[in-house]
């Protein structure tokens, strides 16, 4: 305010604006309209940067909504695809023999901390060649195969070392990742069942879980619970339906923010050029020609800015997103298809076209 009021009264009366000296800018043999557009963009550089910043903030919100959608969609799809068993029986009092048609396993609930939250991890001992899991385990008490969801959540890769905690015994167990298998249903760590029995001092025939592709005749009194494939699929769909309103809200908010910023900035640019526009109209320029001079030049700024902001916002949000869902025990597959980026880019250009049409009326 002090800088503004320090100007001379005559300067204030004339409503003079500080302009960037672009008179000596050499633009080669371009046409008059193209030269005018470029000079106008440079003159309104601060306004263009404001639009660029507003676009980036809006796209961050869009990418947050997109990541939520992608994660929910992938969890639902992977849960249905990766769950090969029809029934999972968890025993309270295990039998001595495996029921006919069943595949024995040794399941134990462990825990692992992630960003301040204590996650339930299922350490699952299975035989090599288990038909319900695409896992090749080796006889070792410290080498395991981890599910893709577990690897995504804890950012692990083959060869990494991690530990999980048995809270009942208050003991940590350290393992080396020998492989990663596609399994997005939950936080699973796969181990050879014989090695797991030795690790936890169980008998050679011990099991407490049975997988099957059909219903088995097991006394319900011996079981903790029975989980079906339908239960797994339904739980993932509930997760998606809960997130849908937030996804729509975030998308709507981002569109509003970008539209408001773009409209206000273009409005300021037109208002600053009001006197010049009037002079052009006096010299016989038509509305379409004025649109080319003062509005269409911004199309390049928005188009190029969107090409920069879309990947930058996605990369930044992918880094931030794990901290936003640190309490969610699920995989974080947020890979987007190319057509999703193309759709966002097209939405920006359509929004610009609508606002451009509104500004033509002002001209």
């Amino acid at each position: 305010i002090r800088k503004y009021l320090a100007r001379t009264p005559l300067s204030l009366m004339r409503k003079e604006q500080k302009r960037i000296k672009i008179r000596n800018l050499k633009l080669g043999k371009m046409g008059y309209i193209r030269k005018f557009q470029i000079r106008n963009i440079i003159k309104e550089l601060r306004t263009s940067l404001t639009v660029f910043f507003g676009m980036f903030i809006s796209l961050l919100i869009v990418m947050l909504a997109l990541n939520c959608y992608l994660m929910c969609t992938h969890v639902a799809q992977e849960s249905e695809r990766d769950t090969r068993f029809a029934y999972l029986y968890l025993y309270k009092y295990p039998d001595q023999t495996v029921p006919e048609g069943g595949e024995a396993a040794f399941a134990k609930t462990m825990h692992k901390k992630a960003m301040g939250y204590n996650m339930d991890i299922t350490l699952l001992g299975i035989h090599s060649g288990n038909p319900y899991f695409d896992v090749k385990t080796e006889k070792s008490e410290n080498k395991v195969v981890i599910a893709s969801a577990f690897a995504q959540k804890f950012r692990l890769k083959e060869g990494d070392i991690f530990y999980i905690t048995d809270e009942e015994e208050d003991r940590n167990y350290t393992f080396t990742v020998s492989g990663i298998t596609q399994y997005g249903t939950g936080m699973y760590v796969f181990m050879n069942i014989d090695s797991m029995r030795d690790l936890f001092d169980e008998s050679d025939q011990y099991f407490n879980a049975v997988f099957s592709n059909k219903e088995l005749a097991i006394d319900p009194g011996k079981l903790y619970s029975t989980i079906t494939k339908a239960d797994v699929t339904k739980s993932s769909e509930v997760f998606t339906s809960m997130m849908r309103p937030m996804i729509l809200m975030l998308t709507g908010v981002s569109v509003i923010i970008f539209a408001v910023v773009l409209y206000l900035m273009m409005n300021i640019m037109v208002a600053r050029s009001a006197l010049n526009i009037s002079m052009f109209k006096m010299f016989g320029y038509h509305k379409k020609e004025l649109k080319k001079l003062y509005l269409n030049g911004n199309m390049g700024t928005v188009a190029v800015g969107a090409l920069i902001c879309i990947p930058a916002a996605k990369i930044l949000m992918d880094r931030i997103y794990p901290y936003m869902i640190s309490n969610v025990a699920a995989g974080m597959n947020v890979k987007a298809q190319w057509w999703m980026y193309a759709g966002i880019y097209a939405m920006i250009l359509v929004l610009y076209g609508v606002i451009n049409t509104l500004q033509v009326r002002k001209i």
Side-chain angles (χ1 to χ4, degrees):
I1 294 173
R2 179 180 294 177
K3 184 178 179 180
Y4 188 81
L5 294 179
R7 291 160 55 185
T8 63
L10 187 59
S11 175
L12 292 172
M13 290 173 63
R14 289 177 175 175
K15 298 182 180 180
E16 293 178 354
Q17 301 290 334
K18 185 177 179 181
R19 298 179 182 272
I20 301 174
K21 294 181 179 180
I22 57 174
R23 190 174 299 173
N24 298 325
L25 183 64
K26 296 181 180 180
L27 298 175
K29 296 182 180 181
M30 292 184 182
Y32 172 74
I33 291 178
R34 182 62 65 190
K35 285 183 178 180
F36 189 94
Q37 289 174 342
I38 293 174
R39 292 177 186 273
N40 197 47
I41 289 172
I42 296 173
K43 184 178 69 175
E44 298 291 348
L45 188 60
R46 290 184 180 180
T47 304
S48 298
L49 291 175
T50 303
V51 172
F52 187 88
F53 180 74
M55 185 191 305
F56 183 72
I57 297 299
S58 302
L59 284 171
L60 273 179
I61 303 174
V62 170
M63 294 307 169
L64 175 58
L66 180 63
N67 280 2
C68 291
Y69 168 77
L70 290 171
M71 192 188 85
C72 293
T73 302
H74 287 147
V75 166
Q77 292 175 348
E78 291 173 3
S79 295
E80 184 174 2
R81 182 189 63 202
D82 298 340
T83 304
R84 300 178 182 178
F85 60 85
Y87 291 89
L88 167 58
Y89 299 94
L90 298 174
Y91 279 83
K92 185 188 300 183
Y93 307 109
D95 288 324
Q96 296 297 320
T97 58
V98 182
E100 186 179 352
E103 183 73 26
F106 181 8
K108 188 172 181 63
T109 300
M110 309 290 277
H111 296 86
K112 184 171 176 59
K113 287 188 176 181
M115 303 175 192
Y117 293 93
N118 204 17
M119 300 287 174
D120 288 345
I121 310 297
T122 300
L123 182 61
L124 188 64
I126 58 175
H127 292 103
S128 295
N130 187 303
Y132 304 108
F133 301 97
D134 187 16
V135 178
K136 293 183 179 180
T137 59
E138 56 182 295
K139 288 190 176 183
S140 173
E141 293 186 9
N142 60 3
K143 290 185 178 181
V144 295
V145 177
I146 61 176
S148 56
F150 185 83
Q152 292 164 4
K153 183 65 180 180
F154 296 98
R155 299 182 181 182
L156 295 171
K157 59 183 183 299
E158 191 170 338
D160 285 352
I161 297 173
F162 68 96
Y163 73 90
I164 52 180
T165 304
D166 184 352
E167 294 189 346
E168 293 179 359
E169 297 181 2
D170 192 21
R171 181 179 175 183
N172 294 332
Y173 291 86
T174 303
F175 298 103
T176 300
V177 180
S178 63
I180 300 174
T181 185
Q182 173 56 45
Y183 195 73
T185 303
M187 302 288 105
Y188 278 80
V189 176
F190 301 98
M191 189 176 183
N192 180 273
I193 189 169
D194 294 324
S195 300
M196 187 170 172
R197 287 165 178 164
D198 293 338
L199 183 63
F200 292 99
D201 296 324
E202 297 291 351
S203 65
D204 292 342
Q205 301 300 320
Y206 178 82
F207 67 93
N208 61 1
V210 170
F211 294 92
S212 175
N213 58 5
K214 62 181 181 179
E215 190 174 3
L216 302 178
I218 301 175
D219 183 4
K222 295 182 178 181
L223 300 174
Y224 271 120
S225 62
T226 301
I227 300 172
T228 66
K229 182 174 181 177
D231 295 332
V232 176
T233 304
K234 186 177 180 180
S235 63
S236 63
E237 291 175 351
V238 169
F239 185 62
T240 304
S241 63
M242 288 175 61
M243 297 290 284
R244 188 176 294 114
M246 187 182 74
I247 293 170
L248 296 175
M249 181 193 71
L250 290 172
T251 304
V253 168
S254 64
V255 170
I256 291 171
I257 290 175
F258 178 64
V260 169
V261 170
L262 186 59
Y263 179 82
L264 291 177
M265 292 302 101
M266 290 181 66
N267 196 48
I268 289 172
M269 292 168 69
V270 172
R272 285 178 178 176
S273 303
L275 180 60
N276 292 340
I277 292 172
S278 299
M279 296 295 289
F280 273 114
K281 293 176 74 172
M282 289 172 60
F283 289 133
Y285 279 76
H286 298 292
K287 184 167 65 176
K288 290 184 178 180
E289 294 170 322
L290 292 173
K291 179 184 175 183
K292 289 181 180 179
L293 292 173
Y294 286 96
L295 296 179
N296 289 358
N298 297 318
M299 178 68 177
T301 303
V302 174
V304 174
L307 287 176
I308 297 171
C309 288
I310 289 174
K314 185 67 168 76
I315 292 171
L316 181 58
M317 184 50 62
D318 286 352
R319 296 288 183 88
I320 299 173
Y321 191 66
Y323 298 95
M324 293 183 170
I325 58 166
S326 56
N327 63 329
V328 179
M332 292 181 295
N333 185 356
V334 291
K335 292 181 180 179
Q337 300 293 327
W338 67 268
W339 57 265
M340 295 181 178
Y341 298 115
I344 294 172
Y345 187 74
M347 182 184 69
I348 291 173
L349 297 184
V350 169
L351 198 57
Y352 171 81
V354 173
I355 294 172
N356 199 4
T357 302
L358 296 175
Q359 291 297 333
V360 169
R361 296 182 180 181
K362 190 173 182 65
I363 286 181

